[in-house]
């Protein structure tokens, strides 16, 4: 029997521990870390003619580029650890994002300074999200897992990537 004078949190931890002992896990929890970065880029595909690039990308194909103040949300999913109550330490997630992403993209020209885009990948927000996923997916300590990368290029333009 679980004593009734325990806090709800303590009861949940005990319940989770008991359920794990018999092979039943509590529901998945998502933790989300939000960061911001500023970066410049030019939407231009080396596989298209200059005319096609201008037609498809419009003013975003400006040869001098343009910039954004991006908002990044990284979602990590997992079961809270029965000892710590955390899916993963969010302070560790902050460091991983800084080391693997922000140090490489913040106040940079993506097309000229980030190897992934220097290889001819068009620096659309879709591809920025995929790049960020690739930078993070192997760095998240198990049993937690990277669940989603969400990038706001503007208040109205948002991309979500789930590694699919």
């Amino acid at each position: 029997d679980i004593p009734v004078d325990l806090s709800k949190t303590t009861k949940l931890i005990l319940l989770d521990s008991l359920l794990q002992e018999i092979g039943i896990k509590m529901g998945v929890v998502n933790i989300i870390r939000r960061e911001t970065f500023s970066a410049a880029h030019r939407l231009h595909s080396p596989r298209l003619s200059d005319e096609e690039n201008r037609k498809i990308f419009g003013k975003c194909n400006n040869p001098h580029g343009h910039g954004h103040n991006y908002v990044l949300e990284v979602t990590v999913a997992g079961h809270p650890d029965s000892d710590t109550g955390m899916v993963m330490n969010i302070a560790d997630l902050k460091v991983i994002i800084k080391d693997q992403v922000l140090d490489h993209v913040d106040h940079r020209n993506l097309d000229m300074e980030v190897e992934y885009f220097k290889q001819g990948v068009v620096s659309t927000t879709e591809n920025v999200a995929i790049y960020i996923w690739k930078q993070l997916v192997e760095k998240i300590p198990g049993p937690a897992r990277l669940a989603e990368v969400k990038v706001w290029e503007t208040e109205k333009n948002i991309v979500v990537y789930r590694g699919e």
Side-chain angles (χ1 to χ4, degrees), residues 8-163:
K8 285 183 183 179
T9 303
T10 302
K11 288 178 185 176
L12 281 173
I13 291 169
L14 287 171
L15 176 60
D16 181 50
S17 182
L18 291 170
L19 290 172
Q20 285 185 29
E21 282 182 29
I22 60 171
I24 299 172
K25 291 194 174 214
M26 292 181 75
V28 171
V29 175
N30 291 325
I31 61 168
I32 302 169
R33 176 70 188 186
R34 182 180 284 207
E35 296 287 352
T36 60
F37 64 94
S38 299
H41 71 139
R42 176 187 185 206
L43 294 182
H44 185 88
S45 173
R47 290 169 293 288
L48 301 173
S49 70
D50 286 345
E51 183 180 325
E52 289 172 308
N53 274 293
R54 281 191 299 275
K55 183 178 177 184
I56 292 168
F57 299 121
K59 66 182 181 178
C60 296
N61 183 245
N62 179 337
H64 302 289
H66 64 282
H68 298 282
N69 294 317
Y70 292 92
V71 176
L72 167 64
E73 275 190 8
V74 174
T75 303
V76 173
H79 300 283
D81 180 83
S82 59
D83 294 329
T84 66
M86 296 187 288
V87 171
M88 77 170 284
N89 189 324
I90 204 150
D92 294 342
L93 179 58
K94 176 184 175 183
V95 171
I96 292 168
I97 294 169
K98 179 191 175 300
D99 292 348
Q100 300 302 315
V101 178
L102 300 179
D103 286 352
H104 302 277
V105 298
D106 193 28
H107 289 84
R108 307 283 180 156
N109 183 310
L110 300 177
D111 304 312
M112 296 179 183
E113 298 180 74
V114 179
E115 196 59 42
Y116 183 79
F117 297 106
K118 285 172 61 174
Q119 297 173 5
V121 176
V122 181
S123 56
T124 60
T125 308
E126 294 91 322
N127 284 330
V128 171
I130 292 168
Y131 165 77
I132 292 169
W133 178 278
K134 289 180 177 184
Q135 291 294 105
L136 296 175
V137 69
E138 298 297 325
K139 302 299 181 183
I140 303 301
R145 65 175 178 78
L146 183 60
E148 180 177 281
V149 167
K150 186 182 287 189
V151 181
W152 278 260
E153 180 184 66
T154 69
E155 192 64 33
K156 296 180 179 181
N157 298 335
I158 304 161
V159 170
V160 175
Y161 185 65
R162 296 185 181 106

